[in-house]
Amino acid sequence: MRLNQENQEKSKYKIIAVDDEIGIIDSLKVYLSNYSITGVTDPQEAIERVKNEHFDLMLLDYIMTPFHGDQVVEEIRKFNKDLYILLLTGHKDLAPPLETIKKLDIQGYCEKSDKFDQLLLLIESGLKSVEQLNIIKQINSELSYSRDLLEKSYLESIEVLRRTVEAKDVYTKGHSDRVSEYALLIGDKLNLSEEELKTLKIGALFHDIGKIGVPDSILLKDDTLTDDEYSEIKNHPAIGAHILCNATIFSSIIPIVKYHHERFDGKGYPENIAGGQIPLLSRIVSIADTFDAITSRRAYRNALDFEYAKNEISNCKGSQFDPKLADIFLDVLTNERDKIIEIQNKF
């Protein structure tokens, strides 16, 4: 009974044996009959089989025609990094250099012999490694799936808060969405990575989340704020960072939320940091946020036009804004105005 179970376990693994001598292939098939084994005598066919079928382990002859085993591995590694490969050699002096074995990630090699004991041990050891790798992949896949669900849940929760903030003030409806889109225009010009752009997008969407903690009487006031009221408004970046701080999944966007009102000259808030001390993505959102604030209708004034906004951004280069980033956005406003209009019409 136990023997049958062991054979069933072995048969679930797929092995491909590659040797240009049909006699070697036949011998391997007989000796490894408990495994699911495929024999191939043509190196090129072997490459195609591996490309189109799943195999757990490859037994590969080194000296073959029309090309050697290391060349087969080199081709396979271009599209398959995981296949466990054991190289078979007619003599240890004919084995490829150790540097080649490491470079091509060949897991081991074995001399050909009438006795297959050593080869069988290497195969069993190799398949145990394959099993462990499969378990790790499964765990990583499950963790990734769980993380995606957790991220989705957090995003939905924070999105509710964001919509609540916008619902408090009809004049800021769509503000965060537009800021996010404007910020991405700058990020694209900087050739930011996909991960950085994702962080920029989400951080910009939630940059004003802290306004949930600002009293409506201040947030909706249509007159000049008092010093005390302005101090309350200035608390919203720190409040937003606090809201997000308990969710490690949002750790990358917290700097955007916390520092989007810092100024390049160090006269911003909440920490009065300056220049390169301000995170790059925060500096980007600062420009996008200001542009949308200028060109959007507010309780205390109507929307101002493009030219006014461009002049403000230009005049504040080096003081409020990073001059390099400001120039990038000014170029977008001048030469890609249609994209800006499209965003404004979208939200």
Side-chain angles (χ1 to χ4, degrees):
M1 181 71 174
R2 183 179 176 182
L3 186 60
N4 287 336
Q5 289 178 337
E6 288 179 355
N7 288 338
Q8 287 177 357
E9 280 294 306
K10 290 180 178 180
S11 66
K12 73 179 183 180
Y13 295 108
K14 294 187 67 176
I15 298 174
I16 181 169
V18 187
D19 197 303
D20 57 358
E21 294 185 33
I22 188 63
I24 297 293
I25 294 293
D26 290 340
S27 297
L28 287 171
K29 282 184 174 181
V30 170
Y31 194 74
L32 302 174
S33 59
N34 289 332
Y35 294 97
S36 175
I37 182 167
T38 299
V40 179
T41 56
D42 180 5
Q44 187 59 51
E45 180 187 347
I47 294 170
E48 294 303 316
R49 292 291 290 269
V50 171
K51 185 178 292 186
N52 296 304
E53 299 177 43
H54 169 75
F55 292 98
D56 298 291
L57 184 143
M58 170 180 275
L59 300 174
L60 179 64
D61 186 25
Y62 177 46
I63 304 296
M64 293 187 296
T65 55
F67 44 86
H68 292 346
D70 57 338
Q71 294 171 286
V72 174
V73 180
E74 189 171 2
E75 288 301 310
I76 288 174
R77 289 305 186 217
K78 292 178 182 178
F79 59 86
N80 188 322
K81 304 293 185 184
D82 296 332
L83 181 62
Y84 198 99
I85 298 177
L86 293 176
L87 206 61
L88 303 180
T89 64
H91 192 277
K92 63 181 180 181
D93 293 336
L94 297 178
L98 184 60
E99 293 76 15
T100 300
I101 290 175
K102 288 182 177 180
K103 178 184 175 184
L104 298 177
D105 196 19
I106 297 171
Q107 281 77 10
Y109 66 89
C110 179
E111 291 181 49
K112 291 180 182 179
S113 168
D114 293 337
K115 297 180 180 179
F116 289 94
D117 293 351
Q118 183 186 4
L119 177 60
L120 184 58
L121 288 174
L122 287 173
I123 290 172
E124 291 178 348
S125 175
L127 290 176
K128 286 179 182 178
S129 296
V130 169
E131 180 66 21
Q132 290 300 311
L133 180 62
N134 289 340
I135 291 173
I136 291 171
K137 282 182 178 179
Q138 182 179 352
I139 292 172
N140 285 338
S141 177
E142 291 171 355
L143 287 174
S144 177
Y145 178 69
S146 298
R147 186 181 185 281
D148 288 344
L149 285 179
L150 181 61
E151 181 177 3
K152 183 174 183 291
S153 176
Y154 272 124
L155 285 172
E156 289 173 349
S157 299
I158 300 301
E159 180 69 7
V160 170
L161 290 179
R162 184 172 80 90
R163 296 299 182 188
T164 301
V165 171
E166 292 195 346
K168 291 170 69 172
D169 182 2
V170 295
Y171 294 106
T172 61
K173 181 175 176 57
H175 167 68
S176 296
D177 296 280
R178 292 190 298 272
V179 170
S180 182
E181 295 288 333
Y182 299 147
L184 288 176
L185 292 178
I186 300 173
D188 284 334
K189 296 295 183 183
L190 291 171
N191 294 316
L192 297 183
S193 68
E194 185 176 339
E195 189 63 29
E196 288 172 319
L197 289 173
K198 178 183 177 183
T199 300
L200 180 60
K201 178 180 180 178
I202 297 174
L205 281 173
F206 296 145
H207 75 282
D208 273 344
I209 195 69
K211 285 184 176 179
I212 193 76
V214 178
D216 288 0
S217 59
I218 297 174
L219 198 62
L220 305 179
K221 188 175 181 179
D222 59 2
D223 199 358
T224 304
L225 297 176
T226 66
D227 289 343
D228 287 343
E229 289 170 335
Y230 186 53
S231 293
E232 284 284 339
I233 284 283
K234 288 167 68 175
N235 286 331
H236 81 269
I239 295 172
H242 181 70
I243 288 172
L244 300 173
C245 72
N246 290 321
T248 55
I249 201 166
F250 286 135
S251 60
S252 61
I253 72 169
I254 289 176
I256 296 176
V257 173
K258 188 173 184 179
Y259 299 122
H260 71 279
H261 278 296
E262 297 289 356
R263 290 171 52 105
F264 200 72
D265 60 9
K267 297 179 180 179
Y269 59 88
E271 295 184 2
N272 305 117
I273 55 178
Q277 293 177 301
I278 307 169
L280 172 63
L281 303 188
S282 303
R283 283 177 268 151
I284 293 173
V285 170
S286 173
I287 297 172
D289 185 30
T290 300
F291 174 76
D292 191 69
I294 293 172
T295 56
S296 299
R297 186 186 176 200
R298 294 300 169 98
Y300 49 88
R301 63 156 172 81
N302 290 323
L304 301 172
D305 63 26
F306 262 48
E307 292 307 313
Y308 183 90
K310 286 171 63 176
N311 288 335
E312 280 294 296
I313 292 171
S314 181
N315 291 337
C316 293
K317 289 193 302 182
S319 55
Q320 184 173 351
F321 306 123
D322 181 324
K324 177 184 175 182
L325 300 180
D327 282 337
I328 289 173
F329 192 57
L330 287 170
D331 182 70
V332 171
L333 292 177
T334 301
N335 299 310
E336 302 179 47
R337 185 166 174 170
D338 56 323
K339 291 183 179 179
I340 302 296
I341 295 173
E342 181 181 347
I343 291 169
Q344 292 178 329
N345 291 335
K346 182 178 178 182
F347 301 104

